[in-house]
C-alpha cells in the first residue's frame, strides 16, 4: 500500500462546528476503509496545520478520489504528500544513475 501524509486545515465552517470533528473523522475512516485504505495515524497539531494523518491507500488514484471527496464537504482543506518508507527510500537511492 502507498503511504500519504495529509495536512489538514479547518475551514471557517469546519472550525465553527469543531465539536463535530470526532464524528466527521469516524465517517472519513469509513470512507477510507471502504476504498481499501487505512488511517495509520492521526494527530491534532498546533502550528501551521490543525490535523495530520498518515494514510494508506492501494494507489494514488484512490487517494485522490477520497481526499477530493473530503474536500468537497467543506470542513477542511488538505495538502497531501506521497511518502516513501525507509526501505523504499534506500531502494530509490540505490538505483540512481
Amino acid at each position: 500500500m502507498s503511504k500519504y501524509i495529509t495536512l489538514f486545515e479547518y475551514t471557517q465552517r469546519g472550525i465553527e462546528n469543531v465539536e463535530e470533528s470526532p464524528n466527521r473523522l469516524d465517517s472519513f475512516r469509513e470512507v477510507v476503509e471502504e476504498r481499501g485504505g487505512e488511517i495509520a495515524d492521526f494527530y491534532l497539531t498546533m502550528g501551521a496545520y490543525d490535523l495530520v494523518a498518515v494514510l494508506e491507500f492501494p494507489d494514488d488514484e484512490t487517494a485522490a478520489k477520497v481526499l477530493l471527496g473530503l474536500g468537497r464537504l467543506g470542513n477542511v482543506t488538505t495538502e497531501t504528500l506521497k511518502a516513501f518508507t525507509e526501505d523504499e527510500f534506500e531502494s530509490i537511492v540505490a538505483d540512481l544513475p
Side-chain angles (χ1 to χ4, degrees):
M1 290 248 267
S2 295
K3 292 187 183 289
Y4 306 85
I5 309 299
T6 300
L7 311 170
F8 300 85
E9 288 185 75
Y10 282 116
T11 62
Q12 185 62 39
R13 179 171 138 185
I15 198 65
E16 286 174 358
N17 299 296
V18 71
E19 67 279 356
E20 295 174 14
S21 290
N23 291 334
R24 292 194 301 250
L25 176 58
D26 289 341
S27 295
F28 179 61
R29 181 175 279 107
E30 288 177 19
V31 171
V32 168
E33 290 174 356
E34 286 170 3
R35 295 296 193 127
E38 179 183 352
I39 299 176
D41 285 302
F42 181 85
Y43 304 95
L44 171 68
T45 56
M46 298 184 298
Y49 296 93
D50 300 309
L51 309 162
V52 175
V54 179
L55 306 173
E56 295 180 356
F57 287 103
D59 53 56
D60 293 345
E61 184 177 325
T62 303
K65 286 178 181 178
V66 170
L67 292 166
L68 286 170
L70 177 66
R72 219 168 44 173
L73 298 175
N75 295 302
V76 292
T77 60
T78 62
E79 182 175 341
T80 300
L81 310 162
K82 180 149 182 179
F84 297 90
T85 65
E86 184 176 350
D87 288 342
E88 291 169 327
F89 165 69
E90 289 175 6
S91 176
I92 290 167
V93 171
D95 289 340
L96 289 174

